[in-house]
Amino acid sequence: MCLAIPGRVESIDFPFAIVSFGGARKRIRIDLVEDVKIGEYVLAHAGLAIQKLSEEEVMEIEKLWEEMMEE
Amino acid sequence: MRREIISKLSKQIKELSDQLEREIRIMHLCGTHEDTISKYNLRDLMPENIRLISGPGCPVCIIPDTDLQKIFHLIERKSIILTTFGDMARVPFEEKSLQYYSSRGFDVRVVYSVFDAIEIARKSDKPVVHFGIGFETTMPSTASAIIDGVSNFYVYSAHRYFLPAMDFLLSLGEIRIDGFINPGHVSTIVGSNAYIPLFKKYGIPQVIAGFEPEDVLLAIKIMLRALIKDELGVFNEYRRVVRPEGNLKAKEAMKEVFGVDDWEWRGFGTVPESGAPIKKKYEDQDALKFFEDVFEDFIPKEDRRKRACRCGEVLRGLIMPNECKLFMKACNPKSPVGPCMVSFEGTCNVWAKYGRY
């Protein structure tokens, strides 16, 4: 229910966008996150983008974990 | 590489746990965390004195039978299209469920999002009622849909605020909890700062965590280290997603549409300030208001079949699923008695799925 997954914005027809989740495309509402652009990543839950993510936050999770492990 | 991270974290947790001589009880608050823990068998990775307990983090599970009966009451009396999420459609009351109504010709449609429900409303002359469930993660989407104001679209709000339930659970004092793993996506909306008052009130450390096994293990490590150093507080392991202030726009939309009321939770009774009724300003889209006359003769009943179901105690972290005598006998995923076995976020369902019994 509270599952949310990251996807890449492919096209925008505000307030909706077509977001690709590893190839699976869905229509996601994006107006509750700031200023989303094509190519950026969002975290989507039940059809709504609830947070914007940087590419690093999506692609380099392992690096983030390793940094936190050393803290 | 991920295997290396996991084994390194397990080792760190073991070392830290050796410094804590007592049993440490950590409660997580999200069905998706239970899924991660069961799927990757993280309980077996834990040292003997670290216990991972499952809490009330399942929106479908905590909705009391009263709401379900009211929805049944409505679809039996009005020609509507009812939309809801898949999990909710399978929760039984006296052998009936929304899926049952669908099979009997009632127009019940499972949707992926509330925006799909709006599209259905735009293409239909019939009233469309969306059975809105979920915590703060889901509430902003329902709020947006209500603000859109499609004239034949209504919401039955069974949405509940999550933090009041944490407060209520601790106020009951029936379970000792040394720390909470806070739900990552509720936190995405409310922000890490939202938990500070709760920490100040009870002094119990909390770590907001993501949903990969590495995230959960890191959260446990952060928790143990805080307990050892006695430097307690609200920590955020899920910094790649959760900001201190949360999602301001989403919070604003929620506040615009939903009020606050004392509502019942399954297994909890009435939880003060946990209910999210639709504000008067939007009552034209409030199914409870628009169909007010339908509910005049509504009297809730008790489902006798659920008397032996211990879903409520599972939600309060008092028992594990295998301590219920119905578990995997009278109650199983094919024939669930209570919602903890229905929902993909229910602890009983998760345990059944991964064979953790």
Side-chain angles (χ1 to χ4, degrees):
Chain A
M1 192 54 229
C2 283
L3 193 68
I5 46 173
R8 189 173 177 275
V9 176
E10 293 202 329
S11 63
I12 295 174
D13 180 13
F14 199 79
F16 287 91
I18 299 299
V19 178
S20 167
F21 301 95
R25 287 174 181 79
K26 275 204 175 292
R27 187 166 169 263
I28 300 294
R29 186 147 173 165
I30 55 168
D31 58 335
L32 293 187
V33 286
E34 297 288 343
D35 193 26
V36 176
K37 295 184 189 72
I38 291 171
E40 290 185 326
Y41 289 84
V42 292
L43 186 71
H45 162 78
L48 180 78
I50 58 170
Q51 190 61 273
K52 219 163 103 166
L53 303 170
S54 73
E55 194 164 347
E56 192 207 3
E57 286 163 340
V58 179
M59 309 304 282
E60 296 178 49
I61 297 180
E62 289 178 21
K63 208 175 106 194
L64 296 175
W65 282 324
E66 292 205 322
E67 282 167 15
M68 288 178 81
M69 264 177 14
E70 303 311 323
E71 277 174 16
Chain B
M1 181 158 156
R2 290 190 62 173
R3 189 180 286 256
E4 274 168 42
I5 295 175
I6 289 178
S7 90
K8 199 168 167 188
L9 280 168
S10 307
K11 207 168 145 247
Q12 290 177 337
I13 287 171
K14 175 79 182 88
E15 285 163 8
L16 290 167
S17 74
D18 287 343
Q19 297 175 50
L20 288 154
E21 280 165 9
R22 59 198 175 94
E23 184 190 59
I24 302 299
R25 299 160 61 89
I26 300 173
M27 177 183 269
H28 74 72
L29 300 158
C30 182
T32 313
H33 278 145
E34 182 56 43
D35 192 273
T36 303
I37 289 166
S38 290
K39 183 175 177 182
Y40 296 97
N41 214 356
L42 299 187
R43 283 197 181 87
D44 275 7
L45 278 185
M46 287 300 116
E48 234 168 69
N49 60 332
I50 309 297
R51 280 201 64 194
L52 301 181
I53 302 164
S54 180
C58 169
V60 168
C61 304
I62 58 89
I63 290 182
D65 283 343
T66 314
D67 281 317
L68 200 57
Q69 291 176 76
K70 276 188 166 170
I71 288 289
F72 293 175
H73 192 83
L74 178 63
I75 53 179
E76 282 171 8
R77 283 161 185 79
K78 290 280 171 188
S79 174
I80 58 163
I81 299 171
L82 187 96
T83 60
T84 192
F85 298 130
D87 268 19
M88 199 63 231
R90 298 185 302 125
V91 179
F93 181 83
E94 289 186 335
E95 319 269 328
K96 290 179 188 168
S97 65
L98 286 170
Q99 221 168 34
Y100 162 89
Y101 280 97
S102 173
S103 73
R104 300 293 296 262
F106 291 89
D107 200 344
V108 175
R109 302 190 197 177
V110 168
V111 289
Y112 160 72
S113 82
V114 67
F115 307 115
D116 295 343
I118 288 219
E119 288 310 308
I120 293 169
R122 285 202 171 109
K123 288 176 192 144
S124 173
D125 298 326
K126 279 167 90 176
V128 172
V129 176
H130 181 68
F131 189 11
I133 62 157
F135 301 131
E136 286 89 338
T137 323
T138 321
M139 284 163 68
S141 60
T142 308
S144 287
I146 289 174
I147 293 168
D148 277 358
V150 176
S151 63
N152 58 332
F153 173 74
Y154 308 91
V155 170
Y156 179 108
S157 174
H159 287 297
R160 278 157 172 83
Y161 301 104
F162 192 72
L163 275 69
M166 292 170 71
D167 191 337
F168 187 75
L169 184 70
L170 292 172
S171 76
L172 291 174
E174 59 186 1
I175 179 170
R176 182 174 67 79
I177 298 164
D178 295 292
F180 282 121
I181 295 179
N182 287 357
H185 294 142
V186 164
S187 306
T188 305
I189 304 296
V190 302
S192 53
N193 289 344
Y195 298 98
I196 293 171
L198 200 71
F199 169 70
K200 287 190 172 157
K201 190 169 172 186
Y202 295 99
I204 292 178
Q206 305 163 39
V207 186
I208 297 164
F211 297 97
E212 297 298 329
E214 293 89 338
D215 288 317
V216 175
L217 292 173
L218 249 172
I220 294 166
K221 180 198 157 183
I222 293 167
M223 179 82 71
L224 297 183
R225 201 175 44 193
L227 287 166
I228 289 166
K229 291 187 174 172
D230 198 25
E231 287 171 3
L232 308 181
V234 177
F235 303 91
N236 186 3
E237 184 277 332
Y238 202 27
R239 277 175 288 183
R240 62 186 189 271
V241 172
V242 177
R243 318 283 180 242
E245 71 285 1
N247 180 331
L248 295 174
K249 277 188 170 183
K251 285 202 284 191
E252 214 173 283
M254 244 164 50
K255 210 176 161 193
E256 166 72 15
V257 170
F258 296 110
V260 177
D261 203 353
D262 306 342
W263 279 7
E264 187 194 348
W265 289 45
R266 182 186 306 278
F268 282 68
T270 301
V271 179
E273 298 182 0
S274 68
I278 295 167
K279 281 185 175 170
K280 201 169 166 43
K281 186 175 171 187
Y282 294 98
E283 70 178 16
D284 289 350
Q285 283 170 281
D286 184 350
L288 279 170
K289 195 78 197 162
F290 187 77
F291 298 104
E292 210 172 10
D293 54 322
V294 175
F295 297 108
E296 270 169 14
D297 64 340
F298 171 78
I299 301 163
K301 288 188 289 184
E302 188 207 348
D303 184 356
R304 299 168 67 98
R305 206 171 156 247
K306 287 203 191 92
R307 276 190 186 164
C309 167
R310 298 180 73 184
C311 187
E313 289 159 275
V314 171
L315 292 167
R316 300 209 301 282
L318 298 179
I319 65 161
M320 291 294 194
N322 54 359
E323 292 172 63
C324 172
K325 65 176 188 225
L326 303 183
F327 181 69
M328 294 315 283
K329 296 188 179 84
C331 180
N332 56 68
K334 276 193 178 151
S335 172
V337 174
C340 289
M341 184 58 91
V342 175
S343 174
F344 295 119
E345 290 208 309
T347 304
C348 301
N349 180 284
V350 174
W351 280 42
K353 179 169 150 195
Y354 297 113
R356 299 285 174 238
Y357 53 90

